[in-house]
Amino acid sequence: MSCIRFNTPAQRRQLAVNAPSMQAERADGGTDGGTDEPVARFLSPAVTASKVARIRRLAADRNPKIRASAAASYHAPEEVYEALSRDENAEVRACIAKNEQVSCDILRRLAHDPDERVRGFVALNFFVPADAMTDLAEDPSAVVRGLVDWKARLAEEDSAESAEHARELASA
């Protein structure tokens, strides 16, 4: 396979006209070569009604891999997350469990999912509520309990590093 582009001359001209400037303007009118280019300039396009409608269609697809892609979306409506969290396919539910936009209520319910992988991904989700983590700490699966322990150790290490950094700043 080749990397040759087949844009027409008109398409190339349109791309050149619409290309963002890579030179960031400074307050004094000069440029700094793009070193301070704001990240916001390169963010994804806004979520539109058509994008949400597309996610709804993906969530209703017969193929579980396509439903899983909808479950991974950060822009699905709550009722789509709710429906996908009850999907018959564990892979779809696992994608919901990984999603940091899913509500705490859904994560609480998935903490009791029959599939060990789903419960494991709930344990790793940064936004899982404390009561669900308490339940997962007593999970019948050694793997899930191990993930809860690992996450707790990371949090303790991060807390200790933050405290040490604060002491260093205070003494400076």
Side-chain angles (χ1 to χ4, degrees):
M1 166 138 334
S2 134
C3 293
I4 297 173
R5 296 185 65 144
F6 295 101
N7 293 336
T8 67
Q11 289 171 322
R12 286 194 296 271
R13 280 193 304 276
Q14 190 67 32
L15 287 169
V17 167
N18 291 319
S21 167
M22 298 313 285
Q23 299 288 322
E25 291 186 25
R26 294 188 315 232
D28 64 4
T31 62
D32 62 8
T35 57
D36 291 330
E37 185 76 18
V39 173
R41 191 170 186 173
F42 300 101
L43 294 177
S44 297
V47 178
T48 62
S50 65
K51 181 171 185 161
V52 173
R54 191 172 333 118
I55 294 168
R56 287 181 190 280
R57 284 192 306 275
L58 294 173
D61 198 275
R62 288 188 347 234
N63 186 334
K65 293 198 180 295
I66 293 175
R67 293 194 309 274
S69 72
S73 172
Y74 281 179
H75 305 295
E78 184 66 21
E79 68 272 9
V80 170
Y81 289 144
E82 179 64 38
L84 291 171
S85 73
R86 297 178 187 281
D87 197 279
E88 64 186 29
N89 186 281
E91 182 70 26
V92 174
R93 295 191 314 275
C95 285
I96 286 288
K98 292 181 221 181
N99 191 324
E100 295 182 347
Q101 298 299 315
V102 171
S103 73
C104 290
D105 289 337
I106 291 174
L107 292 174
R108 280 186 185 98
R109 188 169 33 74
L110 290 176
H112 300 282
D113 193 89
D115 190 277
E116 172 186 70
R117 290 175 303 153
V118 174
R119 297 190 313 273
F121 280 119
V122 171
L124 294 176
N125 190 313
F126 185 75
F127 295 101
V128 65
D131 58 325
M133 284 300 284
T134 301
D135 292 347
L136 291 167
E138 299 172 4
D139 195 90
S141 166
V143 171
V144 173
R145 290 191 313 272
L147 290 169
V148 171
D149 290 342
W150 174 73
K151 188 175 174 185
R153 283 194 311 274
L154 287 179
E156 288 171 7
E157 290 171 9
D158 186 50
S159 179
E161 287 176 15
S162 295
E164 178 62 27
H165 184 67
R167 282 192 293 276
E168 288 173 2
L169 290 175
S171 66

